[in-house]
Amino acid sequence: EALRPDSDECASCAFAAIHAKKTYDKGEKENSFTSVNDWINILEEGCHGDQACPALIRKYGKAMGGALVDFVQDGDDAEEKNMDVSEFQGAICHKYAEVCKTPYGFPSVKSVTFSVPRESNVDVGIFKRGSSQSGDQPLKPSAVVAPGKHHTFTPSQSLSLRTGYAFRLSPIEDISCPNEASLSTDPNKCLISCGSSSQHKGGSQSGSCRQAEKVCHRLKPTCSTLSLDSNGNAYLKSINISWNSPMLLDIFLTDEFHQEYIVTSHPDFDPTLPEKIPNAKLQRPESWDEEEDGTWEPPLVANTDNLRNNPRFLASLNGAPAGQIA
């Protein structure tokens, strides 16, 4: 479920509750925070510069702090002892502070940024996967990030950023449009003028362009999405890769509040390797009659070389390597 923030108070409470849980989970400090004011101070520390958070603590701090005191006093018998982060947020923000209407779907990550270095030679499509169990392919990417650009996601009603939430990264390729009025001098690229209809979103090359969207619709299924350039015009793009291809990279969010992923091309990427090859271990069955059954061909299996060498991207998180998590 996505976060449904009833107000800024709900989102602020969710992040303050994360800090409170980290303190609560440190058993050696349980005896140090036994008063309501102690826990109010802990909750304020969890605001981390959020403008709405201090007012929230002033308004609901006694109810939230009182609940935390009860948690500590109940010791090992406390129901909250074995709660995960989301359940703990629900207890504090829904049950006690009553600033959130629902007891689930809270964010635990404040922002996620995908940056593509200028020297990269391919656009990156960012797809929202949701949970690790969500494998259905979205109709189009949530953002297309061109070399030298970035895109930042923040929690919203349609996007609950929390630990374990997944994004899938796919290369986005140019297409030609010989029968359309392309602004590009490259015949392999289709650049459509957006006029005054273009709308940029942050630093990414994603947005809206009515003229380009109409052309893309006419060119389906070749055209999958579009990417705005710095002049507000749109390149039409294609996604020619299977949703389950080993070339795609999955990014699962960590528990850090602010996460920036630097996405680069994999140095061992080899586009000539097929995804599947004939199974060399199987031989034609003795009962096979080519006159009746036709030419026998072994079934295809995953190409292990492809799985090893064909991830299209690498990603580093806040300066540290971040590999694919399946």
Side-chain angles (χ1 to χ4, degrees):
E1 288 286 343
L3 170 70
R4 297 179 176 85
D6 313 310
S7 64
D8 290 340
E9 289 181 335
C10 179
S12 297
C13 182
F15 288 109
I18 291 174
H19 185 68
K21 176 170 174 53
K22 290 179 179 179
T23 303
Y24 175 67
D25 286 344
K26 294 178 181 178
E28 69 275 10
K29 289 191 175 182
E30 285 183 350
N31 294 327
S32 301
F33 302 108
T34 55
S35 74
V36 172
N37 286 335
D38 287 337
W39 281 108
I40 289 177
N41 291 333
I42 293 297
L43 290 164
E44 288 177 341
E45 290 176 4
C47 288
H48 294 288
D50 188 322
Q51 294 182 353
C53 188
L56 166 83
I57 304 303
R58 287 194 296 271
K59 190 174 182 180
Y60 301 103
K62 289 185 178 180
M64 298 163 71
L68 288 159
V69 168
D70 290 342
F71 296 172
V72 173
Q73 290 177 344
D74 288 345
D76 290 338
D77 294 329
E79 178 184 354
E80 295 76 17
K81 195 74 175 178
N82 297 316
M83 284 184 175
D84 62 21
V85 170
S86 181
E87 292 171 329
F88 198 89
Q89 290 171 307
I92 294 296
C93 303
H94 171 70
K95 182 177 180 180
Y96 294 103
E98 298 182 342
V99 294
C100 299
K101 291 182 180 178
T102 59
Y104 54 81
F106 302 100
S108 58
V109 177
K110 290 191 172 184
S111 69
V112 179
T113 298
F114 291 95
S115 300
V116 180
R118 188 176 299 276
E119 58 272 17
S120 179
N121 59 359
V122 63
D123 289 2
V124 180
I126 312 295
F127 291 86
K128 294 184 293 186
R129 276 198 59 192
S131 69
S132 58
Q133 290 76 34
S134 177
D136 294 337
Q137 180 176 9
L139 294 176
K140 62 180 181 178
S142 300
V144 178
V145 186
K149 301 294 182 180
H150 70 275
H151 184 86
T152 298
F153 294 93
T154 55
S156 68
Q157 284 191 320
S158 61
L159 178 62
S160 181
L161 294 178
R162 54 182 182 266
T163 304
Y165 192 96
F167 289 90
R168 178 162 286 183
L169 279 54
S170 170
I172 305 294
E173 302 174 353
D174 288 297
I175 65 172
S176 61
C177 51
N179 297 322
E180 304 292 343
S182 175
L183 300 178
S184 177
T185 57
D186 186 338
N188 296 314
K189 296 183 178 181
C190 185
L191 179 62
I192 303 297
S193 173
C194 296
S196 60
S197 70
S198 64
Q199 297 178 0
H200 288 269
K201 294 182 179 179
S204 72
Q205 298 298 91
S206 62
S208 64
C209 172
R210 288 190 293 273
Q211 291 92 323
E213 288 166 0
K214 291 179 181 178
V215 176
C216 186
H217 182 75
R218 288 198 296 269
L219 297 177
K220 286 184 178 297
T222 302
C223 182
S224 305
T225 188
L226 56 88
S227 174
L228 296 180
D229 69 4
S230 58
N231 297 318
N233 300 314
Y235 284 99
L236 302 193
K237 301 285 184 175
S238 176
I239 305 170
N240 291 322
I241 300 176
S242 156
W243 183 242
N244 295 315
S245 169
M247 291 171 60
L248 305 186
L249 176 68
D250 284 343
I251 297 293
F252 282 66
L253 301 185
T254 70
D255 58 358
E256 297 183 46
F257 276 170
H258 300 284
Q259 302 176 34
E260 180 180 12
Y261 294 89
I262 308 299
V263 183
T264 58
S265 295
H266 197 302
D268 294 330
F269 173 72
D270 183 357
T272 65
L273 292 176
E275 288 190 27
K276 293 187 176 182
I277 58 175
N279 189 342
K281 296 181 179 180
L282 296 182
Q283 297 181 353
R284 186 180 66 179
E286 293 182 0
S287 59
W288 189 273
D289 187 328
E290 291 200 351
E291 291 185 0
E292 293 184 3
D293 303 323
T295 303
W296 182 81
E297 295 181 356
L300 298 178
V301 294
N303 183 357
T304 55
D305 286 336
N306 175 278
L307 293 173
R308 183 177 68 250
N309 296 326
N310 259 22
R312 187 64 178 86
F313 301 116
L314 294 177
S316 61
L317 168 59
N318 299 339
Q324 176 158 338
I325 305 175

